[in-house]
């Protein structure tokens, strides 16, 4: 019976470590996510015509039209082509 008590005790200790790690990870991650969410909310609300923007995939373009109802933005890329994208696809305002 002694071996089962050792296994049970070790299992409880491992379980406590896993739970403690999960709690710490949640609070550290939640703080980072909150600041990131606030950053992007501010970025998407401050979009203006003529700004040069960057997408997460590295594509650059200039804001030509902001469609408030559809929450899209028309972007002109270097070739002169205008593409319609979600305003939430923009990751950075360059200029």
């Amino acid at each position: 019976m002694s071996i089962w008590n050792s296994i049970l005790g070790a299992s409880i200790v491992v379980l406590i470590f896993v739970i403690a790690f999960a709690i710490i990870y949640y609070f550290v991650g939640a703080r980072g996510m909150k600041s990131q969410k606030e950053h992007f909310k501010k970025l998407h609300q401050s979009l203006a015509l003529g700004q040069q923007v960057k997408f997460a995939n590295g594509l650059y373009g200039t804001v030509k039209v902001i469609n408030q109802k559809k929450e899209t933005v028309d972007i002109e890329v270097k070739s002169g082509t205008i593409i319609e994208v979600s305003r939430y696809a923009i990751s950075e305002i360059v200029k």
Side-chain angles (χ1 to χ4, degrees):
M1 201 63 158
S2 171
I3 195 163
W4 292 110
N5 288 338
S6 297
I7 292 173
L8 180 63
S11 298
I12 291 173
V13 169
V14 169
L15 186 62
I16 290 172
F17 277 123
V18 169
I19 291 172
F21 178 75
I23 291 171
I24 291 169
Y25 182 77
Y26 171 76
F27 284 115
V28 170
R31 185 178 312 135
M33 288 296 290
K34 184 178 179 183
S35 65
Q36 185 178 18
K37 185 185 284 186
E38 192 64 34
H39 165 74
F40 281 112
K41 181 179 178 183
K42 186 177 174 183
L43 179 134
H44 296 136
Q45 289 176 347
S46 66
L47 284 176
L49 298 178
Q51 288 180 324
Q52 187 175 13
V53 295
K54 178 183 173 187
F55 296 91
N57 63 1
L59 181 69
Y60 288 85
T62 305
V63 177
K64 292 297 179 185
V65 177
I66 300 173
N67 302 317
Q68 296 294 342
K69 279 190 172 184
K70 295 188 333 185
E71 294 191 349
T72 60
V73 181
D74 290 352
I75 304 291
E76 181 180 15
V77 293
K78 188 174 184 177
S79 66
T81 305
I82 295 181
I83 57 175
E84 182 179 25
V85 298
S86 169
R87 71 185 311 141
Y88 303 110
I90 297 171
S91 63
E92 183 180 344
I93 297 174
V94 180
K95 292 182 186 175

